[in-house]
């Protein structure tokens, strides 16, 4: 699906200037969404299951 990027956890769109976290697989999520997912569920991307340890994603914040 092309177009507006959406968070893979909550399926909400990102707003301009909002921070997003990109995992090594290039999927992007809201930092609060993916942090909760990675710490409470599993250290894998919610979409493609790529292994993403919370540590390696902590400083991967980007602005859209
Ligand atoms: Zn989200
Ligand atoms: Zn992914």
């Amino acid at each position: 699906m092309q177009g507006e990027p959406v968070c893979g956890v909550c399926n909400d769109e990102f707003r301009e200037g909002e921070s997003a976290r990109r995992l090594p697989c290039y999927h992007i999520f809201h930092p609060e969404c993916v942090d909760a997912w990675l710490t409470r569920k599993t250290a894998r991307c919610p979409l493609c299951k790529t292994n993403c340890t919370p540590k390696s994603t902590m400083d991967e914040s980007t602005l859209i």
Side-chain angles (χ1 to χ4, degrees), residues 41-61:
K41 297 218 173 198
T42 172
R44 286 172 185 274
C45 171
L47 292 179
C48 68
K49 316 297 186 212
T50 294
N51 197 356
C52 317
T53 61
K55 217 168 195 166
S56 67
T57 61
M58 273 308 173
D59 45 13
E60 282 274 344
S61 286

Side-chain angles (χ1 to χ4, degrees), residues 4-23 26-40 44-47 54 57-58 60-64:
E4 296 298 311
V6 296
C7 168
V9 174
C10 69
N11 286 317
D12 268 355
E13 293 176 5
F14 292 92
R15 305 216 177 91
E16 209 176 322
E18 194 171 30
S19 69
R21 178 153 302 145
R22 183 170 19 181
L23 297 183
Y26 294 100
H27 286 123
I28 58 173
F29 307 91
H30 298 121
E32 66 270 26
C33 288
V34 77
D35 280 353
W37 179 279
L38 293 177
T39 56
R40 281 194 246 145
R44 286 172 185 274
C45 171
L47 292 179
T57 61
M58 273 308 173
E60 282 274 344
S61 286
T62 55
L63 285 179
I64 293 186

